[in-house]
Amino acid sequence: MLRLGRREFGPHERVIMAIVNRTPDSFYDGGATFRDEPALARVEQAVAEGAAIIDIGGVKAGPGEEVSAEEEARRTVGFVAEVRRRFPDVVISVDTWRAEVGEAVCEAGADLLNDAWGGADPGLAQVAARHRVGLVCTHAGGAEPRTRPHRVTYDDVMADVLDVTVGLAERAVALGVPRESVLIDPGHDFGKNTRHSLEATRRLDEMVAAGWPVLVSLSNKDFVGETLDRPVKERLIGTLATTAVSSWLGAMVYRVHEVAETRQVLDMVSSIAGHRPPAVARRGLA
């Protein structure tokens, strides 16, 4: 079971985490949700389309203009509070690696800290423990925040992923983060080349077998683009194919841009797996 905020998710649920970037330079939308009203409209749409978690980020993952902790907090804290007011039952996640930002967003109502940079600030897990909120423990290959991988190598990429993420998860629980609120993430593209991300996907069942809920952040990423030689706006089909494979192998939470399309894919996989009945069943019964 996964417990986040007011929500509990069973072992066979496939949960959507919708991305809401509070940045002017997002790789995906170029800042479409940087201002409050478009961002709130995005939240409303995502919830209506089936997202249970909203992931709010104030700094783009890739290199770019320096964003101080103060500026990151300015972009996210007030917005978290407003989302909490308008959507009391939605799970609010904040994508940050900084403990001071994590502290501020938890005070504003966040339920989950999405640490995409693999414990770059060890204090973030302590913040999650103090506030009794969830934590995403990600493999980033030891990369510094906002850097791209360069000729990174692994003897066994999944062995490294498991060693890092399970170690971070166990540390978090030891600090006081509720075990049922900790997830592990293989960190596609983070500290990895495309072949590494493909192998991590292919062997995702090994992460599932480790016993922690697995989150995957696949949406429109470079490994999809390089695999199919497609620009950002033409990566949806590849993303959905990777989503289906990840779902079949047991991943639980999916961080996405396109909620409605992802919901259909996950529901279809759930039905094939026998965990969800068809929405209607008329064929051969008339």
Side-chain angles (χ1 to χ4, degrees):
M1 185 184 67
L2 175 64
R3 181 178 292 119
L4 299 170
R6 299 183 181 184
R7 301 289 298 274
E8 291 185 357
F9 305 98
H12 297 305
E13 287 193 63
R14 291 164 169 87
V15 183
I16 293 180
M17 169 190 274
I19 300 165
V20 179
N21 289 314
R22 305 308 316 284
T23 62
D25 52 357
S26 163
F27 90 98
Y28 177 73
D29 60 27
T33 53
F34 184 48
R35 294 186 299 109
D36 286 352
E37 287 310 312
L40 288 166
R42 160 70 175 161
V43 174
E44 184 173 10
Q45 178 187 11
V47 171
E49 291 178 347
I53 307 171
I54 300 298
D55 190 50
I56 299 163
V59 185
K60 68 177 285 188
E65 181 181 346
E66 176 67 22
V67 179
S68 68
E70 292 75 17
E71 174 60 17
E72 183 184 357
R74 188 191 69 77
R75 295 176 180 183
T76 56
V77 174
F79 187 71
V80 167
E82 184 61 16
V83 173
R84 178 83 295 149
R85 186 184 72 81
R86 296 195 188 194
F87 304 91
D89 294 325
V90 77
V91 177
I92 299 176
S93 169
V94 175
D95 180 353
T96 185
W97 75 90
R98 291 165 164 151
E100 58 195 293
V101 175
E103 184 74 40
V105 296
C106 285
E107 290 176 356
D111 305 301
L112 176 65
L113 297 175
N114 182 11
D115 182 10
W117 290 103
D121 183 345
L124 191 64
Q126 295 172 325
V127 171
R130 186 159 53 252
H131 289 273
R132 303 289 292 174
V133 302
L135 183 69
V136 179
C137 300
T138 307
H139 180 272
E144 291 293 320
R146 305 193 68 194
T147 61
R148 298 193 188 282
H150 179 67
R151 297 186 178 180
V152 62
T153 61
Y154 298 96
D155 291 333
D156 183 328
V157 66
M158 183 49 75
D160 202 80
V161 166
L162 283 168
D163 183 59
V164 169
T165 58
V166 171
L168 289 170
E170 290 175 345
R171 174 179 180 268
V173 172
L175 288 169
V177 180
R179 193 191 192 286
E180 64 273 18
S181 302
V182 176
L183 304 98
I184 58 175
D185 177 353
H188 289 82
D189 275 359
F190 282 60
K192 299 172 188 66
N193 61 32
T194 290
R195 288 184 174 85
H196 293 144
S197 292
L198 291 171
E199 182 172 352
T201 306
R202 187 164 57 247
R203 297 172 62 186
L204 204 62
D205 56 339
E206 295 176 41
M207 289 193 77
V208 174
W212 304 86
V214 173
L215 179 151
V216 287
S217 183
L218 311 167
S219 193
N220 301 291
K221 282 194 167 179
D222 285 349
F223 83 96
V224 174
E226 288 193 357
T227 299
L228 302 177
D229 193 17
R230 290 290 184 267
V232 170
K233 292 300 183 180
E234 296 178 18
R235 297 176 184 177
L236 176 58
I237 294 174
T239 296
L240 295 178
T242 313
T243 298
V245 170
S246 299
S247 181
W248 189 256
L249 293 176
M252 187 174 193
V253 180
Y254 301 80
R255 183 177 181 272
V256 306
H257 297 100
E258 292 94 357
V259 175
E261 295 88 340
T262 304
R263 185 72 271 163
Q264 289 189 48
V265 169
L266 295 178
D267 286 350
M268 193 70 198
V269 174
S270 292
S271 296
I272 293 169
H275 302 144
R276 172 188 177 273
V280 296
R282 293 186 289 263
R283 182 174 174 81
L285 300 177

